[in-house]
Amino acid sequence: MPYVDGFVIAVPIANREAYRQMAETAADVFMAHGALNVVECWGDDVPPGKVTSFPLAVQCRDDEAVVFSWITWPSRAARDEGMKNSMADPRMQMGTESMPFDGKRMIFGGFDVIVSR
């Protein structure tokens, strides 16, 4: 079964295009290093919760949008190797000051696929 890396972040609405461009580059890098697909989704209907929600999880502010994304890999081993190589790829070497979002508020994890249609 495939393996999925999932991410949720808050991105300033004013940085939408900068984020999209960065995501395009990152998608090219991940695909070059073995990813099966990369999906980036800009929040459109992401309600705040009282106990838990996407906005609460990333401490989303009024001037930010929630971004939900995932990368599908052929396997955990392919992901481990592909992610290592992706992070070493020169196209991914941007300083934190040029990131269009606050990486400290990113939530992420790796997941075994148990159902896929």
Side-chain angles (χ1 to χ4, degrees):
M1 287 292 252
Y3 193 80
V4 174
D5 279 318
F7 309 88
V8 180
I9 58 175
V11 178
I13 294 167
N15 291 353
R16 181 178 173 145
E17 182 56 22
Y19 180 83
R20 190 197 62 73
Q21 290 175 12
M22 183 207 69
E24 289 273 356
T25 299
D28 290 343
V29 172
F30 293 131
M31 296 295 291
H33 294 290
L36 299 174
N37 76 326
V38 177
V39 178
E40 294 279 351
C41 305
W42 190 267
D44 177 58
D45 183 16
V46 188
K50 293 189 182 198
V51 176
T52 188
S53 67
F54 282 115
L56 285 172
V58 295
Q59 301 171 4
C60 194
R61 300 176 186 135
D62 290 342
D63 64 341
E64 295 176 322
V66 172
V67 172
F68 176 52
S69 42
W70 64 92
I71 307 167
T72 306
W73 303 91
S75 65
R76 168 75 190 264
R79 177 273 210 151
D80 290 349
E81 185 68 17
M83 190 60 79
K84 180 182 84 174
N85 293 334
S86 293
M87 292 301 110
D89 191 298
R91 294 172 288 177
M92 296 289 273
Q93 304 308 310
M94 67 173 68
T96 56
E97 65 282 345
S98 64
M99 297 283 281
F101 63 93
D102 179 1
K104 290 182 229 123
R105 292 187 285 142
M106 175 190 293
I107 60 173
F108 57 91
F111 301 85
D112 285 318
V113 175
I114 61 171
V115 175
S116 178
R117 299 224 193 304

